[in-house]
Amino acid sequence: MSDALDASPYDALLLLSFGGPEGPDDVVPFLENVTRGRGIPKERLKEVGQHYFLFGGVSPINDQNRALLDALRKDFAAHGLDLPVYWGNRNWAPYLTDTLRDIVRDGHRRVLVLATSAYASYSGCRQYRENLAESLAVLASEGLDVPRVDKLRHYFNHPGFVGPMIDGVLKSLADLPGDVREGAHLAFTTHSIPTAAADTSGRVEDHGDGGAYVEEHLDVARLIADAVREETGIEHPWQLVYQSRSGAPSTPWLEPDICDHLEERQAAGAPAVVMIPIGFVSDHMEVLYDLDTEAEAKAAELGLPVRRSATVGADPRFAAAVRDLVLERAGTETGRPVTPCALGALGASHDLCPVGCCPSRVTKPAAAGADSPYA
């Protein structure tokens, strides 16, 4: 599609992310935003926020989004794609509603949305769509013209997302001592979610047995493990594991946890482990704390050599992948021929989230889907 750098009918791209505190005074207000409606006392939020305070009260996610924003703008400009890129967050400044208001006041009416979550799940997809619907409702209440918003498809298996992670694993393996490198175990990590949410992730036909969430992660893990084998000639054992669990202990969540997994691998005789955070776009707080702090401390306690491979972040290949996804969706909308780019067994994900996709416990309007009130 290099000869068709035309994003019409879209006239803006919105980078939509989670947000994070940028100083100690921001931590508790940020966590209040994240947990709004759950009635969690402020003192408990201060306890929860301790891992932010270990890093000066600053989450790296906003700076990482700034880097991605810069990478996207540079890539678009270098390839002649005239599409302004905006940035809004769910839980911290710049807030989504404010950004959408700016988009409208700048005269844009068809907006593509890139969420910093590559996989299907309620928290990784539909909740972003609900936030979009809430913000659009605010704009409508203010008498502003509500823009049409469409979300880019899940990009977990796009080569521009997978390729940088393959390189990260190869680099981490090369960094291990030679006597443990060949037998190193690959632990692919992602955010644990309640098993009930996993089972209902993706399209209705994908529900059950971990749903699309588990299936998509397994597909990516297999792609990376196969690529590592082809590059090194070594078949490294691997497993999909989970991190960052929260919520009531009585609620079943996806397992095993990465720290438990490290104990199991050490007991089974694994000489080393490479932790590969395939579920995360960038090295934000859950990567820095749950892997680089807690999991590495557990590995040190066990005497187990570990390395943590890099996330995709603002890699130029990911920026190019976003450009590819923009042009793909624009072509689909206007009837131009497109060939979706996807690796692995699952193929390209759906453009439009269908009814029943990743449902929430409490039904709320969600934009950018088949059930959107803002079609």
Side-chain angles (χ1 to χ4, degrees):
M1 293 192 291
S2 59
D3 60 343
L5 299 189
D6 178 9
S8 62
Y10 299 105
D11 53 16
L13 175 69
L14 167 63
L15 174 64
L16 177 56
S17 194
F18 192 82
E22 301 202 78
D25 292 341
D26 296 344
V27 172
V28 171
F30 163 73
L31 292 173
E32 286 175 333
N33 287 342
V34 174
T35 61
R36 185 180 292 113
R38 301 183 200 172
I40 299 176
K42 183 169 289 189
E43 290 305 312
R44 174 58 181 152
L45 294 179
K46 289 180 181 178
E47 294 175 17
V48 172
Q50 286 306 309
H51 57 280
Y52 287 100
F53 293 122
L54 288 175
F55 295 88
V58 178
S59 168
I61 192 170
N62 279 352
D63 277 345
Q64 289 162 2
N65 280 325
R66 291 182 183 103
L68 178 56
L69 196 68
D70 183 60
L72 292 172
R73 288 169 174 164
K74 287 178 177 175
D75 179 271
F76 289 6
H79 291 85
L81 180 59
D82 184 16
L83 189 70
V85 187
Y86 294 77
W87 167 38
N89 290 324
R90 284 168 47 180
N91 299 299
W92 202 249
Y95 288 104
L96 172 58
T97 302
D98 296 334
T99 300
L100 281 172
R101 190 181 293 113
D102 290 341
I103 287 173
V104 169
R105 288 174 175 170
D106 288 345
H108 303 298
R109 294 294 177 267
R110 289 292 300 272
V111 182
L112 270 175
V113 177
L114 168 69
T116 54
S117 176
Y119 301 85
S121 70
Y122 170 72
S123 57
C125 183
R126 185 175 177 90
Q127 192 169 14
Y128 282 106
R129 294 177 48 225
E130 290 175 354
N131 295 144
L132 284 166
E134 290 169 0
S135 293
L136 293 173
V138 171
L139 299 190
S141 72
E142 295 172 351
L144 296 175
D145 291 333
V146 175
R148 162 78 179 267
V149 296
D150 291 322
K151 182 176 174 291
L152 289 172
R153 66 175 172 88
H154 303 304
Y155 47 83
F156 62 92
N157 56 2
H158 194 288
F161 185 68
V162 176
M165 292 191 289
I166 294 170
D167 290 349
V169 176
L170 293 171
K171 183 177 180 180
S172 293
L173 285 168
D175 191 50
L176 283 168
D179 60 337
V180 299
R181 185 180 306 137
E182 185 170 334
H185 175 86
L186 308 182
F188 295 95
T189 77
T190 190
H191 205 302
S192 184
I193 61 175
T195 56
D199 289 345
T200 56
S201 58
R203 304 168 302 169
V204 172
E205 53 265 40
D206 296 328
H207 290 182
D209 197 25
Y213 187 74
V214 171
E215 183 179 41
E216 290 169 0
H217 282 87
L218 286 173
D219 202 42
V220 172
R222 194 173 296 110
L223 281 167
I224 295 173
D226 288 348
V228 169
R229 184 191 66 245
E230 291 172 8
E231 181 68 25
T232 65
I234 299 170
E235 183 87 41
H236 289 275
W238 63 271
Q239 186 172 339
L240 177 63
V241 301
Y242 303 92
Q243 62 175 91
S244 312
R245 180 195 163 122
S246 60
S250 59
T251 302
W253 284 56
L254 293 173
E255 296 178 334
D257 176 78
I258 178 61
C259 289
D260 295 337
H261 183 65
L262 293 176
E263 288 187 346
E264 292 167 359
R265 290 303 88 210
Q266 190 271 342
V273 173
V274 174
M275 301 182 292
I276 309 152
I278 60 172
F280 305 92
V281 172
S282 64
D283 288 4
H284 55 60
M285 185 57 71
E286 286 171 315
V287 175
L288 293 187
Y289 185 77
D290 297 331
L291 295 183
D292 295 356
T293 305
E294 284 195 328
E296 290 204 8
K298 171 58 70 174
E301 174 190 317
L302 297 168
L304 180 67
V306 296
R307 296 294 184 272
R308 196 270 290 172
S309 67
T311 53
V312 172
D315 189 291
R317 288 169 290 181
F318 183 46
V322 175
R323 168 170 40 90
D324 181 58
L325 291 167
V326 165
L327 296 173
E328 174 193 308
R329 184 59 180 271
T332 299
E333 288 294 306
T334 57
R336 299 193 294 268
V338 296
T339 303
C341 192
L343 302 174
L346 300 181
S349 184
H350 47 266
D351 281 329
L352 194 67
C353 290
V355 175
C357 189
C358 305
S360 59
R361 288 176 296 175
V362 179
T363 302
K364 297 180 180 178
D371 53 354
S372 172
Y374 300 101

